[in-house]
């Protein structure tokens, strides 16, 4: 199995999950995935309730955008997303009243939803893959194929990140209840929770609780990056490979944060309005995890959780796959698992020495150095399977010449987008 053992740096944020639930305002980006064709529901000046739908997509893939607070729509302004795109946002001023409309159809027992109700509720609640991919979760379950195995991705292979670890340690009963309900509703035969095998204490901890859930088991997977990649995780836990989607092998994979958000949605009937994010890195005075409202401004978080007074690089997500913040005038999104404050690497790029390490390490079997060489030649790029890149960053990490191959592959992919 391809992959690399990399330093973890997780201990510094394994301490607590602090509630940060009172942002002065929120910035709701009017975008779902890459779709910006959104119907905006409230007008500037109108009142929105917590959980209200404030926008929805017009296309085939139905997505809904919600307000995580109650308050008044202050304005519609452009803000920058983490990837540098400027996007229209609803700015909502918090009245700190957490006002909600009545919620109908919530069942006392989360096991009692039918499959149809389950799909509808997670669709309306806009549950998506919360480990970065942002794929609508209902689309995985809305299948006529038999789902034999549910794999829970608790590998968290990115250094510094401890969202999964802390969620499991503090919410284990809710998470297992949700897994059990999902299995019952969708008639899934078995579940495997994949945890990095070096996390012996976590495996032992989960095992204390899974005893009564006979079809759920915990499995330690190799301490290799990127073991959290769906293909690697499925291979490590079941020995199976697939062509395009895991459902070809009757498998669905969900991340711990996604499962925890499903639990909330089934239990309360509210959409996904909060998430846990890791604040870590040498630059934070007190690294920790924070339970935060979706769309909280990053600047408000940094006012509360102080940075050290030194030169730092702020990263959204993990150091391997994350993106340097183009500005702090942006917001927490559902897919954002961390804010890291790191010391600058001062990466001085030198000439490629043709060592081939990037090729040997690429988990997708690509040739990053050849993509680099061909980056201005569309004809050559088309033959290099760029769409298989998962953006894991291993090629940049391993390169002795410090060439940022991940960025090069990403730009090359964008160059090819739309060309025939
Ligand atoms: S080319 Fe893509 S998939 Fe391969 S190592 Fe680089 S970032 Fe990862
Ligand atoms: S790892 Fe870096 S130096 Fe080695 S072949 Fe790839 S691009 Fe060149």
């Amino acid at each position: 199995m391809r992959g690399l053992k990399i330093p973890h740096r997780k201990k510094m944020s394994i301490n607590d999950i602090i509630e940060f639930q009172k942002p002065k305002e929120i910035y709701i980006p009017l975008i779902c995935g890459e779709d910006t064709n959104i119907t905006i529901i409230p007008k500037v000046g109108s009142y929105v309730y917590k959980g209200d739908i404030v926008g929805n997509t017009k296309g085939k893939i139905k997505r809904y955008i919600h307000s995580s607070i109650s308050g008044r729509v202050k304005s519609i302004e452009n803000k920058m997303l983490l990837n540098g795109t400027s996007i229209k946002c609803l700015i909502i001023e918090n009245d700190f009243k957490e006002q909600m409309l009545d919620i109908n159809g919530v069942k006392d027992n989360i096991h009692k939803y039918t499959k149809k109700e389950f799909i509808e509720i997670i669709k309306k609640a806009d549950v998506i893959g919360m480990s970065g991919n942002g794929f609508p979760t209902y689309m995985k379950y809305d299948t006529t194929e038999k789902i034999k195995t549910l794999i829970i991705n608790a590998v968290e292979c990115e250094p510094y990140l401890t969202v999964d670890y802390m969620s499991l340690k503090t919410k284990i009963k809710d998470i297992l209840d949700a897994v059990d309900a999902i299995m019952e509703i969708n008639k899934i035969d078995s579940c495997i929770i994949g945890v990095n095998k070096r996390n012996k204490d976590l495996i032992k901890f989960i095992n204390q609780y899974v005893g009564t859930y006979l079809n759920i088991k915990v499995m330690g997977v190799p301490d290799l990056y990127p073991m959290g990649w769906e293909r690697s995780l499925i291979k490590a836990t079941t020995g199976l490979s697939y062509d395009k989607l895991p459902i070809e092998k009757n498998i669905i994979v969900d991340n711990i944060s996604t499962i925890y958000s499903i639990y909330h949605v089934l239990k309360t009937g509210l959409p996904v309005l909060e998430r846990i994010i890791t604040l870590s890195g040498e630059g934070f005075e007190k690294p920790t995890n924070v339970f935060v409202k979706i769309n909280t401004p990053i600047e408000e978080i940094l006012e509360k959780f102080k940075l050290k007074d030194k030169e730092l690089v702020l990263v959204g997500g993990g150091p391997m796959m994350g993106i340097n913040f183009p500005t702090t005038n942006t917001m927490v999104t559902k897919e954002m698992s961390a804010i890291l404050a790191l010391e600058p690497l001062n990466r001085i790029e030198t000439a490629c020495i043709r060592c081939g390490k990037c090729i040997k390490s690429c988990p997708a079997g690509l040739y990053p150095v050849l993509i680099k060489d061909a980056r201005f030649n569309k004809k050559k790029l088309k033959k290099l399977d760029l769409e298989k890149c998962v953006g894991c960053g291993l090629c940049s990490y391993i390169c002795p010449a410090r060439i940022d191959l991940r960025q090069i592959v990403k730009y090359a992919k964008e160059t090819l987008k739309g060309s025939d």
Side-chain angles (χ1 to χ4, degrees), residues 147-349:
I147 308 166
K148 286 187 188 155
T149 315
L150 172 64
I151 298 178
I152 309 295
N153 188 349
V155 180
E156 203 160 46
C157 55
E158 277 268 15
Y160 294 95
L161 269 59
T162 53
V163 173
D164 291 356
Y165 183 94
M166 290 303 297
S167 303
L168 282 162
K169 279 279 175 137
T170 56
K171 325 272 182 207
I172 186 72
K173 287 183 183 165
D174 298 344
I175 289 169
L176 289 175
D177 192 23
V179 171
D180 195 38
I182 294 168
M183 289 173 71
E184 196 176 331
I185 294 165
N186 293 281
K187 301 191 170 29
I188 300 173
D189 301 336
S190 64
C191 169
I192 303 168
I193 304 176
V195 180
N196 187 322
K197 69 177 180 193
R198 72 180 254 165
N199 263 338
K200 289 190 181 68
D201 72 308
L202 187 60
I203 295 174
K204 198 171 158 196
F205 175 80
I206 304 170
N207 267 326
Q208 286 169 8
Y209 291 86
V210 289
T212 50
Y213 297 100
L214 299 178
N215 299 326
I216 303 177
K217 66 174 178 185
V218 188
M219 196 182 275
V221 296
D223 181 18
L224 293 174
Y225 181 87
M227 189 47 67
W229 180 34
E230 222 162 59
R231 280 182 195 276
S232 305
L233 184 60
I234 290 176
K235 186 83 186 158
T237 48
T238 65
L240 297 169
S241 306
Y242 59 90
D243 182 24
K244 290 196 173 72
L245 292 170
I247 196 65
E248 291 159 26
K249 301 289 175 189
N250 309 94
I251 293 170
I252 282 185
V253 183
D254 272 327
N255 155 272
I256 285 290
S257 295
T258 308
I259 295 290
Y260 188 54
S261 63
I262 292 177
Y263 174 79
H264 261 271
V265 168
L266 298 182
K267 198 85 187 161
T268 64
L270 280 167
V272 182
L273 304 177
E274 289 124 0
R275 69 156 299 147
I276 299 168
I277 60 170
T278 298
L279 306 183
S280 191
E282 296 73 16
F284 271 101
E285 282 185 0
K286 288 183 188 153
T288 190
N289 280 274
V290 182
F291 190 52
V292 67
K293 289 201 188 281
I294 306 289
N295 303 144
T296 296
I298 299 295
E299 280 170 351
E300 285 201 38
I301 294 177
L302 297 178
E303 262 170 41
K304 164 92 178 153
F305 300 91
K306 300 272 184 252
L307 295 175
K308 290 179 189 163
D309 187 16
K310 58 183 192 172
E311 196 191 343
L312 294 167
V313 177
L314 286 178
V315 180
M320 299 295 283
M321 297 184 74
I323 303 176
N324 292 8
F325 279 100
T327 167
T328 48
N329 187 14
T330 181
M331 73 302 288
V332 172
T333 57
K334 276 183 207 163
E335 301 94 323
M336 191 180 286
S337 48
I339 302 171
L340 302 182
L342 306 174
E343 284 160 352
L345 279 177
N346 296 327
R347 240 183 123 97
I348 296 165
E349 186 179 314

Side-chain angles (χ1 to χ4, degrees), residues 358 361-364 366 368 371 388-396 406 409:
C358 55
S361 64
C362 176
L366 301 185
I371 296 169
K388 289 189 181 158
C389 172
V390 286
C392 69
L394 213 46
C395 48
S396 301
R406 178 178 77 124
V409 177

Side-chain angles (χ1 to χ4, degrees), residues 89-131:
C89 292
L90 281 177
I91 314 295
I92 316 249
E93 218 167 7
N94 200 350
D95 66 359
F96 302 104
K97 290 183 178 161
E98 304 273 313
Q99 296 267 29
M100 287 184 282
L101 290 176
D102 289 344
I103 299 163
N104 300 317
V106 181
K107 307 211 172 178
D108 291 343
N109 182 341
I110 65 168
H111 295 244
K112 297 290 176 206
Y113 291 94
T114 63
K115 176 157 179 151
K116 201 170 162 218
E117 288 167 339
F118 170 79
I119 288 168
E120 202 47 37
I121 194 169
I122 63 170
K123 181 179 179 180
K124 277 274 169 64
D126 200 47
V127 178
I128 59 168
M130 291 174 85
S131 60

